[in-house]
Amino acid sequence: ALSEQRFKALVQEGSDMISIIDSEGKYIYTSPTTTAILGITPEEFQGKTIVDFIHPDDAERCLGYMQKIATEKKVNVQPFRLKDSKQNWRWIETVLTNMMDNPIINGFVANSRDVTESVNARIQIEKKEQFNATLLESSPDCYKVLDVEGRIQYMNYNGLCLMELDDFAAIKN
C-alpha cells in the first residue's frame, strides 16, 4: 500500500507527463500532470492517438518512433510539437519504453516533458547565427574570426578570394 501511494504521488505531482499507449498508438492512460502542463485532462487523451494532438509537420517522424518502439526496449524521441488546450504549440521531448511484456502495463510508456523554452531559445540563437553568417558572407570585404590565441577560425568567401585561397582548411588555426 505504501509503494502504491508513493507511485501515485510521483505520477500525480511530478513534472513529467506519463502516458501508456497501446499497440495501435491509442492512449490508455495519461497522468494528471498533463492538465497542469498542457491544460488537457487525462480523459481528453483517452482513446485518441498522438496524431490527434501533434503538429502535422512532426507526425510522420513521430509515427516512425512508434514503429521503432515496437521492436526496441527504449527510444528517445527528439522534440516535437503538441497542441495544448489554448491551441498553442508546445515542444515536447519523450522517452518511450516498451512494456508490452509487462501484464500490468501492456503498452508503451511515454515519459514526456515540456521543453518549449529551451527549444525556442535554441531556434533564436540559430536564426541569429544564420543572419550573422549571411551578413558576413555577403560582404565584399575580408572578414576573419579569430580565437583568443589569434588563430583564424573562420574567413568569409570574399576574404578567401581576395587572398587568392581555394581552401580555408589550409589556413585554419
Side-chain angles (χ1 to χ4, degrees), residues 46-61:
Q46 288 300 116
K48 294 185 180 159
T49 68
I50 189 77
V51 177
D52 295 321
F53 299 92
I54 204 164
H55 193 286
D57 293 347
D58 298 336
E60 188 175 328
R61 180 171 57 88

Side-chain angles (χ1 to χ4, degrees), residues 17-161:
M17 297 173 284
I18 300 170
S19 302
I20 301 173
I21 302 164
D22 70 14
S23 61
E24 294 171 11
K26 290 184 180 168
Y27 289 98
I28 53 178
Y29 170 82
T30 306
S31 65
T33 51
T34 59
T35 306
I37 297 168
L38 297 172
I40 302 172
T41 66
E43 294 76 24
E44 292 174 273
F45 279 98
Q46 288 300 116
K48 294 185 180 159
T49 68
I50 189 77
V51 177
D52 295 321
F53 299 92
I54 204 164
H55 193 286
D57 293 347
D58 298 336
E60 188 175 328
R61 180 171 57 88
C62 286
L63 288 173
Y65 288 119
M66 288 303 295
Q67 289 173 341
K68 196 173 180 183
I69 194 61
T71 59
E72 295 185 23
K73 188 69 180 159
K74 191 169 278 201
V75 174
N76 291 316
V77 178
Q78 294 303 306
F80 60 93
R81 290 161 288 185
L82 203 67
K83 191 178 286 186
D84 68 14
S85 65
K86 295 177 183 165
Q87 307 303 303
N88 295 318
W89 293 109
R90 307 295 301 170
W91 285 98
I92 305 297
E93 183 177 75
T94 298
V95 175
L96 288 171
T97 306
N98 186 332
M99 298 191 80
M100 284 292 184
D101 58 353
N102 182 326
I104 295 169
I105 304 292
N106 192 29
F108 307 121
V109 176
N111 281 38
S112 304
R113 62 189 179 114
D114 185 336
V115 292
T116 303
E117 287 181 25
S118 62
V119 169
N120 285 342
R122 191 181 76 233
I123 289 169
Q124 289 303 317
I125 290 169
E126 287 170 1
K127 283 181 180 178
K128 197 175 283 186
E129 287 174 350
Q130 187 177 16
F131 174 78
N132 290 342
T134 302
L135 192 64
L136 288 173
E137 283 302 328
S138 64
S139 172
D141 297 323
C142 175
Y143 280 104
K144 299 178 203 94
V145 175
L146 309 176
D147 65 14
V148 291
E149 281 87 30
R151 295 179 299 218
I152 299 173
Q153 298 302 304
Y154 167 85
M155 183 183 295
N156 66 339
Y157 177 76
N158 285 331
L160 291 171
C161 290

